[in-house]
PDB file of all heavy atoms in Angstrom:
ATOM      1  N   PHE M 232       0.825  -1.254  -0.043  1.00  0.00           N
ATOM      2  CA  PHE M 232      -0.037  -0.002   0.013  1.00  0.00           C
ATOM      3  C   PHE M 232       0.898   1.238  -0.006  1.00  0.00           C
ATOM      4  O   PHE M 232       0.663   2.234  -0.761  1.00  0.00           O
ATOM      5  CB  PHE M 232      -0.902   0.017   1.212  1.00  0.00           C
ATOM      6  CG  PHE M 232      -2.032  -0.952   1.189  1.00  0.00           C
ATOM      7  CD1 PHE M 232      -2.953  -1.101   2.176  1.00  0.00           C
ATOM      8  CD2 PHE M 232      -2.328  -1.697   0.019  1.00  0.00           C
ATOM      9  CE1 PHE M 232      -4.053  -1.947   2.207  1.00  0.00           C
ATOM     10  CE2 PHE M 232      -3.400  -2.556  -0.047  1.00  0.00           C
ATOM     11  CZ  PHE M 232      -4.316  -2.666   1.002  1.00  0.00           C
ATOM     12  N   VAL M 233       1.808   1.239   0.868  1.00  0.00           N
ATOM     13  CA  VAL M 233       2.773   2.412   0.986  1.00  0.00           C
ATOM     14  C   VAL M 233       3.526   2.701  -0.284  1.00  0.00           C
ATOM     15  O   VAL M 233       3.596   3.822  -0.753  1.00  0.00           O
ATOM     16  CB  VAL M 233       3.760   2.333   2.259  1.00  0.00           C
ATOM     17  CG1 VAL M 233       4.795   3.421   2.186  1.00  0.00           C
ATOM     18  CG2 VAL M 233       2.932   2.260   3.453  1.00  0.00           C
ATOM     19  N   GLU M 234       4.008   1.564  -0.825  1.00  0.00           N
ATOM     20  CA  GLU M 234       4.790   1.752  -2.087  1.00  0.00           C
ATOM     21  C   GLU M 234       4.107   2.134  -3.229  1.00  0.00           C
ATOM     22  O   GLU M 234       4.559   2.603  -4.245  1.00  0.00           O
ATOM     23  CB  GLU M 234       5.630   0.448  -2.238  1.00  0.00           C
ATOM     24  CG  GLU M 234       6.769   0.247  -1.243  1.00  0.00           C
ATOM     25  CD  GLU M 234       7.500  -1.008  -1.454  1.00  0.00           C
ATOM     26  OE1 GLU M 234       6.944  -1.919  -2.155  1.00  0.00           O
ATOM     27  OE2 GLU M 234       8.605  -1.120  -0.926  1.00  0.00           O
ATOM     28  N   ARG M 235       2.686   2.048  -3.256  1.00  0.00           N
ATOM     29  CA  ARG M 235       1.881   2.518  -4.367  1.00  0.00           C
ATOM     30  C   ARG M 235       1.535   4.011  -4.199  1.00  0.00           C
ATOM     31  O   ARG M 235       0.996   4.524  -5.099  1.00  0.00           O
ATOM     32  CB  ARG M 235       0.549   1.702  -4.346  1.00  0.00           C
ATOM     33  CG  ARG M 235       0.711   0.194  -4.854  1.00  0.00           C
ATOM     34  CD  ARG M 235      -0.632  -0.403  -4.987  1.00  0.00           C
ATOM     35  NE  ARG M 235      -0.569  -1.721  -5.407  1.00  0.00           N
ATOM     36  CZ  ARG M 235      -0.533  -2.817  -4.667  1.00  0.00           C
ATOM     37  NH1 ARG M 235      -0.517  -2.614  -3.307  1.00  0.00           N
ATOM     38  NH2 ARG M 235      -0.436  -3.995  -5.107  1.00  0.00           N
ATOM     39  N   HIS M 236       2.009   4.558  -3.106  1.00  0.00           N
ATOM     40  CA  HIS M 236       1.825   6.009  -2.981  1.00  0.00           C
ATOM     41  C   HIS M 236       3.011   6.741  -3.638  1.00  0.00           C
ATOM     42  O   HIS M 236       4.125   6.427  -3.280  1.00  0.00           O
ATOM     43  CB  HIS M 236       1.673   6.382  -1.422  1.00  0.00           C
ATOM     44  CG  HIS M 236       1.159   7.822  -1.226  1.00  0.00           C
ATOM     45  ND1 HIS M 236       1.902   8.923  -1.647  1.00  0.00           N
ATOM     46  CD2 HIS M 236       0.039   8.261  -0.701  1.00  0.00           C
ATOM     47  CE1 HIS M 236       1.248   9.981  -1.428  1.00  0.00           C
ATOM     48  NE2 HIS M 236       0.031   9.681  -0.824  1.00  0.00           N
ATOM     49  N   PRO M 237       2.813   7.760  -4.482  1.00  0.00           N
ATOM     50  CA  PRO M 237       3.950   8.248  -5.305  1.00  0.00           C
ATOM     51  C   PRO M 237       4.926   9.073  -4.380  1.00  0.00           C
ATOM     52  O   PRO M 237       5.916   9.365  -4.845  1.00  0.00           O
ATOM     53  CB  PRO M 237       3.220   9.212  -6.258  1.00  0.00           C
ATOM     54  CG  PRO M 237       1.842   9.436  -5.655  1.00  0.00           C
ATOM     55  CD  PRO M 237       1.542   8.184  -4.904  1.00  0.00           C
ATOM     56  N   HIS M 238       4.532   9.474  -3.241  1.00  0.00           N
ATOM     57  CA  HIS M 238       5.342  10.330  -2.382  1.00  0.00           C
ATOM     58  C   HIS M 238       5.969   9.605  -1.154  1.00  0.00           C
ATOM     59  O   HIS M 238       6.493  10.327  -0.291  1.00  0.00           O
ATOM     60  CB  HIS M 238       4.547  11.500  -1.943  1.00  0.00           C
ATOM     61  CG  HIS M 238       3.995  12.340  -3.067  1.00  0.00           C
ATOM     62  ND1 HIS M 238       4.848  13.027  -3.926  1.00  0.00           N
ATOM     63  CD2 HIS M 238       2.745  12.557  -3.505  1.00  0.00           C
ATOM     64  CE1 HIS M 238       4.095  13.640  -4.858  1.00  0.00           C
ATOM     65  NE2 HIS M 238       2.696  13.377  -4.611  1.00  0.00           N
ATOM     66  N   TYR M 239       5.896   8.317  -1.093  1.00  0.00           N
ATOM     67  CA  TYR M 239       6.475   7.564   0.042  1.00  0.00           C
ATOM     68  C   TYR M 239       7.266   6.341  -0.470  1.00  0.00           C
ATOM     69  O   TYR M 239       7.111   5.809  -1.502  1.00  0.00           O
ATOM     70  CB  TYR M 239       5.307   7.038   0.894  1.00  0.00           C
ATOM     71  CG  TYR M 239       4.607   8.041   1.784  1.00  0.00           C
ATOM     72  CD1 TYR M 239       3.755   8.961   1.307  1.00  0.00           C
ATOM     73  CD2 TYR M 239       5.026   8.175   3.101  1.00  0.00           C
ATOM     74  CE1 TYR M 239       3.147   9.902   2.037  1.00  0.00           C
ATOM     75  CE2 TYR M 239       4.443   9.147   3.969  1.00  0.00           C
ATOM     76  CZ  TYR M 239       3.501   9.951   3.354  1.00  0.00           C
ATOM     77  OH  TYR M 239       2.944  10.975   4.219  1.00  0.00           O
ATOM     78  N   GLU M 240       8.256   5.971   0.358  1.00  0.00           N
ATOM     79  CA  GLU M 240       9.123   4.880   0.127  1.00  0.00           C
ATOM     80  C   GLU M 240       9.191   4.200   1.451  1.00  0.00           C
ATOM     81  O   GLU M 240       9.322   4.768   2.469  1.00  0.00           O
ATOM     82  CB  GLU M 240      10.410   5.212  -0.494  1.00  0.00           C
ATOM     83  CG  GLU M 240      11.338   6.028   0.390  1.00  0.00           C
ATOM     84  CD  GLU M 240      12.664   6.348  -0.240  1.00  0.00           C
ATOM     85  OE1 GLU M 240      13.002   5.531  -1.218  1.00  0.00           O
ATOM     86  OE2 GLU M 240      13.344   7.194   0.127  1.00  0.00           O
ATOM     87  N   VAL M 241       9.352   2.800   1.442  1.00  0.00           N
ATOM     88  CA  VAL M 241       9.501   2.061   2.696  1.00  0.00           C
ATOM     89  C   VAL M 241      11.010   1.791   2.854  1.00  0.00           C
ATOM     90  O   VAL M 241      11.772   1.284   1.911  1.00  0.00           O
ATOM     91  CB  VAL M 241       8.831   0.666   2.632  1.00  0.00           C
ATOM     92  CG1 VAL M 241       9.152  -0.192   3.866  1.00  0.00           C
ATOM     93  CG2 VAL M 241       7.275   0.936   2.521  1.00  0.00           C
ATOM     94  N   VAL M 242      11.616   2.198   4.019  1.00  0.00           N
ATOM     95  CA  VAL M 242      13.033   2.035   4.291  1.00  0.00           C
ATOM     96  C   VAL M 242      13.236   0.846   5.213  1.00  0.00           C
ATOM     97  O   VAL M 242      14.414   0.531   5.595  1.00  0.00           O
ATOM     98  CB  VAL M 242      13.577   3.352   4.799  1.00  0.00           C
ATOM     99  CG1 VAL M 242      13.590   4.373   3.698  1.00  0.00           C
ATOM    100  CG2 VAL M 242      12.997   3.759   6.156  1.00  0.00           C
ATOM    101  N   GLY M 243      12.202   0.271   5.847  1.00  0.00           N
ATOM    102  CA  GLY M 243      12.393  -0.876   6.854  1.00  0.00           C
ATOM    103  C   GLY M 243      11.091  -1.419   7.334  1.00  0.00           C
ATOM    104  O   GLY M 243      10.129  -0.610   7.357  1.00  0.00           O
ATOM    105  N   VAL M 244      11.174  -2.628   7.750  1.00  0.00           N
ATOM    106  CA  VAL M 244      10.016  -3.215   8.356  1.00  0.00           C
ATOM    107  C   VAL M 244      10.484  -3.883   9.673  1.00  0.00           C
ATOM    108  O   VAL M 244      11.497  -4.707   9.610  1.00  0.00           O
ATOM    109  CB  VAL M 244       9.412  -4.434   7.536  1.00  0.00           C
ATOM    110  CG1 VAL M 244       8.242  -5.025   8.298  1.00  0.00           C
ATOM    111  CG2 VAL M 244       8.843  -3.716   6.235  1.00  0.00           C
ATOM    112  N   ALA M 245       9.925  -3.469  10.822  1.00  0.00           N
ATOM    113  CA  ALA M 245      10.382  -4.050  12.101  1.00  0.00           C
ATOM    114  C   ALA M 245       9.218  -4.782  12.805  1.00  0.00           C
ATOM    115  O   ALA M 245       8.149  -4.306  12.957  1.00  0.00           O
ATOM    116  CB  ALA M 245      10.784  -2.817  13.044  1.00  0.00           C
ATOM    117  N   PRO M 246       9.567  -6.064  13.154  1.00  0.00           N
ATOM    118  CA  PRO M 246       8.493  -6.962  13.658  1.00  0.00           C
ATOM    119  C   PRO M 246       8.401  -6.865  15.202  1.00  0.00           C
ATOM    120  O   PRO M 246       7.517  -7.404  15.774  1.00  0.00           O
ATOM    121  CB  PRO M 246       8.946  -8.337  13.250  1.00  0.00           C
ATOM    122  CG  PRO M 246      10.446  -8.183  13.206  1.00  0.00           C
ATOM    123  CD  PRO M 246      10.752  -6.845  12.738  1.00  0.00           C
ATOM    124  N   THR M 247       9.305  -6.133  15.783  1.00  0.00           N
ATOM    125  CA  THR M 247       9.299  -5.988  17.338  1.00  0.00           C
ATOM    126  C   THR M 247       9.582  -4.500  17.651  1.00  0.00           C
ATOM    127  O   THR M 247      10.077  -3.723  16.887  1.00  0.00           O
ATOM    128  CB  THR M 247      10.396  -6.828  18.012  1.00  0.00           C
ATOM    129  OG1 THR M 247      11.720  -6.306  17.724  1.00  0.00           O
ATOM    130  CG2 THR M 247      10.304  -8.315  17.514  1.00  0.00           C
ATOM    131  N   GLY M 248       9.184  -4.215  18.968  1.00  0.00           N
ATOM    132  CA  GLY M 248       9.504  -2.900  19.420  1.00  0.00           C
ATOM    133  C   GLY M 248      10.900  -2.545  19.524  1.00  0.00           C
ATOM    134  O   GLY M 248      11.353  -1.449  19.129  1.00  0.00           O
ATOM    135  N   ALA M 249      11.743  -3.536  19.940  1.00  0.00           N
ATOM    136  CA  ALA M 249      13.248  -3.276  20.051  1.00  0.00           C
ATOM    137  C   ALA M 249      13.819  -3.049  18.575  1.00  0.00           C
ATOM    138  O   ALA M 249      14.638  -2.039  18.557  1.00  0.00           O
ATOM    139  CB  ALA M 249      13.876  -4.565  20.665  1.00  0.00           C
ATOM    140  N   GLU M 250      13.409  -3.783  17.647  1.00  0.00           N
ATOM    141  CA  GLU M 250      13.896  -3.473  16.284  1.00  0.00           C
ATOM    142  C   GLU M 250      13.420  -2.193  15.768  1.00  0.00           C
ATOM    143  O   GLU M 250      14.073  -1.521  14.963  1.00  0.00           O
ATOM    144  CB  GLU M 250      13.406  -4.675  15.442  1.00  0.00           C
ATOM    145  CG  GLU M 250      14.197  -6.003  15.689  1.00  0.00           C
ATOM    146  CD  GLU M 250      13.915  -7.073  14.666  1.00  0.00           C
ATOM    147  OE1 GLU M 250      13.982  -6.775  13.496  1.00  0.00           O
ATOM    148  OE2 GLU M 250      13.616  -8.197  15.138  1.00  0.00           O
ATOM    149  N   ALA M 251      12.193  -1.805  16.147  1.00  0.00           N
ATOM    150  CA  ALA M 251      11.614  -0.583  15.748  1.00  0.00           C
ATOM    151  C   ALA M 251      12.518   0.626  16.281  1.00  0.00           C
ATOM    152  O   ALA M 251      12.932   1.571  15.541  1.00  0.00           O
ATOM    153  CB  ALA M 251      10.175  -0.382  16.224  1.00  0.00           C
ATOM    154  N   LEU M 252      12.910   0.571  17.543  1.00  0.00           N
ATOM    155  CA  LEU M 252      13.635   1.615  18.129  1.00  0.00           C
ATOM    156  C   LEU M 252      15.023   1.648  17.466  1.00  0.00           C
ATOM    157  O   LEU M 252      15.690   2.672  17.293  1.00  0.00           O
ATOM    158  CB  LEU M 252      13.738   1.342  19.628  1.00  0.00           C
ATOM    159  CG  LEU M 252      12.435   1.538  20.393  1.00  0.00           C
ATOM    160  CD1 LEU M 252      12.700   1.000  21.833  1.00  0.00           C
ATOM    161  CD2 LEU M 252      12.074   3.024  20.408  1.00  0.00           C
ATOM    162  N   ARG M 253      15.634   0.474  17.159  1.00  0.00           N
ATOM    163  CA  ARG M 253      16.912   0.446  16.461  1.00  0.00           C
ATOM    164  C   ARG M 253      16.802   1.043  15.050  1.00  0.00           C
ATOM    165  O   ARG M 253      17.687   1.768  14.719  1.00  0.00           O
ATOM    166  CB  ARG M 253      17.408  -1.016  16.312  1.00  0.00           C
ATOM    167  CG  ARG M 253      18.797  -1.185  15.881  1.00  0.00           C
ATOM    168  CD  ARG M 253      19.229  -2.650  15.756  1.00  0.00           C
ATOM    169  NE  ARG M 253      19.047  -3.339  17.041  1.00  0.00           N
ATOM    170  CZ  ARG M 253      18.187  -4.338  17.273  1.00  0.00           C
ATOM    171  NH1 ARG M 253      17.420  -4.745  16.320  1.00  0.00           N
ATOM    172  NH2 ARG M 253      18.080  -4.858  18.497  1.00  0.00           N
ATOM    173  N   ALA M 254      15.741   0.633  14.383  1.00  0.00           N
ATOM    174  CA  ALA M 254      15.504   1.224  13.023  1.00  0.00           C
ATOM    175  C   ALA M 254      15.386   2.696  13.037  1.00  0.00           C
ATOM    176  O   ALA M 254      15.791   3.484  12.151  1.00  0.00           O
ATOM    177  CB  ALA M 254      14.287   0.508  12.377  1.00  0.00           C
ATOM    178  N   LEU M 255      14.580   3.105  14.041  1.00  0.00           N
ATOM    179  CA  LEU M 255      14.427   4.723  14.154  1.00  0.00           C
ATOM    180  C   LEU M 255      15.701   5.402  14.289  1.00  0.00           C
ATOM    181  O   LEU M 255      15.922   6.469  13.697  1.00  0.00           O
ATOM    182  CB  LEU M 255      13.556   4.893  15.323  1.00  0.00           C
ATOM    183  CG  LEU M 255      12.021   4.571  15.233  1.00  0.00           C
ATOM    184  CD1 LEU M 255      11.285   4.675  16.510  1.00  0.00           C
ATOM    185  CD2 LEU M 255      11.458   5.581  14.250  1.00  0.00           C
ATOM    186  N   SER M 256      16.668   4.755  15.033  1.00  0.00           N
ATOM    187  CA  SER M 256      17.959   5.389  15.303  1.00  0.00           C
ATOM    188  C   SER M 256      18.803   5.303  14.108  1.00  0.00           C
ATOM    189  O   SER M 256      19.497   6.173  13.690  1.00  0.00           O
ATOM    190  CB  SER M 256      18.683   4.709  16.431  1.00  0.00           C
ATOM    191  OG  SER M 256      19.941   5.222  16.601  1.00  0.00           O
ATOM    192  N   GLU M 257      18.783   4.081  13.290  1.00  0.00           N
ATOM    193  CA  GLU M 257      19.662   4.017  12.195  1.00  0.00           C
ATOM    194  C   GLU M 257      19.139   4.417  10.895  1.00  0.00           C
ATOM    195  O   GLU M 257      19.842   5.047  10.070  1.00  0.00           O
ATOM    196  CB  GLU M 257      19.909   2.495  12.149  1.00  0.00           C
ATOM    197  CG  GLU M 257      20.694   1.799  13.249  1.00  0.00           C
ATOM    198  CD  GLU M 257      20.883   0.314  13.180  1.00  0.00           C
ATOM    199  OE1 GLU M 257      20.305  -0.218  12.183  1.00  0.00           O
ATOM    200  OE2 GLU M 257      21.500  -0.315  13.980  1.00  0.00           O
ATOM    201  N   GLN M 258      17.817   4.339  10.536  1.00  0.00           N
ATOM    202  CA  GLN M 258      17.286   4.667   9.362  1.00  0.00           C
ATOM    203  C   GLN M 258      16.726   6.178   9.381  1.00  0.00           C
ATOM    204  O   GLN M 258      16.671   6.781   8.238  1.00  0.00           O
ATOM    205  CB  GLN M 258      16.006   3.824   8.980  1.00  0.00           C
ATOM    206  CG  GLN M 258      16.455   2.347   8.840  1.00  0.00           C
ATOM    207  CD  GLN M 258      17.283   2.041   7.611  1.00  0.00           C
ATOM    208  OE1 GLN M 258      17.314   2.895   6.716  1.00  0.00           O
ATOM    209  NE2 GLN M 258      17.953   0.956   7.599  1.00  0.00           N
ATOM    210  N   ARG M 259      16.427   6.771  10.512  1.00  0.00           N
ATOM    211  CA  ARG M 259      15.946   8.174  10.541  1.00  0.00           C
ATOM    212  C   ARG M 259      14.781   8.349   9.569  1.00  0.00           C
ATOM    213  O   ARG M 259      14.824   9.241   8.737  1.00  0.00           O
ATOM    214  CB  ARG M 259      17.097   9.072  10.204  1.00  0.00           C
ATOM    215  CG  ARG M 259      18.293   8.988  11.018  1.00  0.00           C
ATOM    216  CD  ARG M 259      17.980   9.543  12.483  1.00  0.00           C
ATOM    217  NE  ARG M 259      19.164   9.511  13.361  1.00  0.00           N
ATOM    218  CZ  ARG M 259      19.224   9.918  14.618  1.00  0.00           C
ATOM    219  NH1 ARG M 259      18.123  10.496  15.139  1.00  0.00           N
ATOM    220  NH2 ARG M 259      20.293   9.896  15.282  1.00  0.00           N
ATOM    221  N   PRO M 260      13.591   7.587   9.735  1.00  0.00           N
ATOM    222  CA  PRO M 260      12.573   7.720   8.869  1.00  0.00           C
ATOM    223  C   PRO M 260      11.799   9.048   9.079  1.00  0.00           C
ATOM    224  O   PRO M 260      12.021   9.671  10.158  1.00  0.00           O
ATOM    225  CB  PRO M 260      11.633   6.505   9.155  1.00  0.00           C
ATOM    226  CG  PRO M 260      11.947   6.205  10.570  1.00  0.00           C
ATOM    227  CD  PRO M 260      13.460   6.575  10.748  1.00  0.00           C
ATOM    228  N   ASP M 261      11.076   9.452   8.079  1.00  0.00           N
ATOM    229  CA  ASP M 261      10.217  10.674   8.321  1.00  0.00           C
ATOM    230  C   ASP M 261       8.843  10.206   8.998  1.00  0.00           C
ATOM    231  O   ASP M 261       8.257  11.018   9.650  1.00  0.00           O
ATOM    232  CB  ASP M 261       9.828  11.365   6.903  1.00  0.00           C
ATOM    233  CG  ASP M 261      11.143  11.717   6.232  1.00  0.00           C
ATOM    234  OD1 ASP M 261      11.882  12.565   6.747  1.00  0.00           O
ATOM    235  OD2 ASP M 261      11.398  11.200   5.075  1.00  0.00           O
ATOM    236  N   VAL M 262       8.363   9.001   8.679  1.00  0.00           N
ATOM    237  CA  VAL M 262       7.097   8.565   9.154  1.00  0.00           C
ATOM    238  C   VAL M 262       7.180   7.100   9.585  1.00  0.00           C
ATOM    239  O   VAL M 262       7.937   6.329   8.993  1.00  0.00           O
ATOM    240  CB  VAL M 262       6.042   8.613   7.914  1.00  0.00           C
ATOM    241  CG1 VAL M 262       4.667   8.119   8.425  1.00  0.00           C
ATOM    242  CG2 VAL M 262       6.000  10.018   7.370  1.00  0.00           C
ATOM    243  N   MET M 263       6.477   6.871  10.669  1.00  0.00           N
ATOM    244  CA  MET M 263       6.416   5.402  11.223  1.00  0.00           C
ATOM    245  C   MET M 263       4.950   4.942  11.169  1.00  0.00           C
ATOM    246  O   MET M 263       4.073   5.622  11.771  1.00  0.00           O
ATOM    247  CB  MET M 263       6.993   5.296  12.602  1.00  0.00           C
ATOM    248  CG  MET M 263       6.966   3.955  13.198  1.00  0.00           C
ATOM    249  SD  MET M 263       7.850   3.725  14.710  1.00  0.00           S
ATOM    250  CE  MET M 263       7.148   4.929  15.776  1.00  0.00           C
ATOM    251  N   LEU M 264       4.776   3.799  10.637  1.00  0.00           N
ATOM    252  CA  LEU M 264       3.384   3.175  10.671  1.00  0.00           C
ATOM    253  C   LEU M 264       3.500   2.148  11.809  1.00  0.00           C
ATOM    254  O   LEU M 264       4.247   1.144  11.749  1.00  0.00           O
ATOM    255  CB  LEU M 264       3.043   2.417   9.387  1.00  0.00           C
ATOM    256  CG  LEU M 264       3.030   3.334   8.129  1.00  0.00           C
ATOM    257  CD1 LEU M 264       2.425   2.546   7.022  1.00  0.00           C
ATOM    258  CD2 LEU M 264       2.239   4.603   8.369  1.00  0.00           C
ATOM    259  N   LEU M 265       2.809   2.340  12.978  1.00  0.00           N
ATOM    260  CA  LEU M 265       3.075   1.641  14.182  1.00  0.00           C
ATOM    261  C   LEU M 265       1.883   0.751  14.650  1.00  0.00           C
ATOM    262  O   LEU M 265       0.821   1.305  14.846  1.00  0.00           O
ATOM    263  CB  LEU M 265       3.415   2.606  15.280  1.00  0.00           C
ATOM    264  CG  LEU M 265       3.701   2.052  16.669  1.00  0.00           C
ATOM    265  CD1 LEU M 265       4.900   1.171  16.639  1.00  0.00           C
ATOM    266  CD2 LEU M 265       3.837   3.209  17.673  1.00  0.00           C
TER     267      LEU M 265
END
């Protein structure tokens, strides 16, 4: 769904809270779907 939006790109998928926090620190996303 996200990749079909012309103004968004997915930089990561995190299956746990710990991995989400790690990805937030490393990937520096603009938006998080939580």
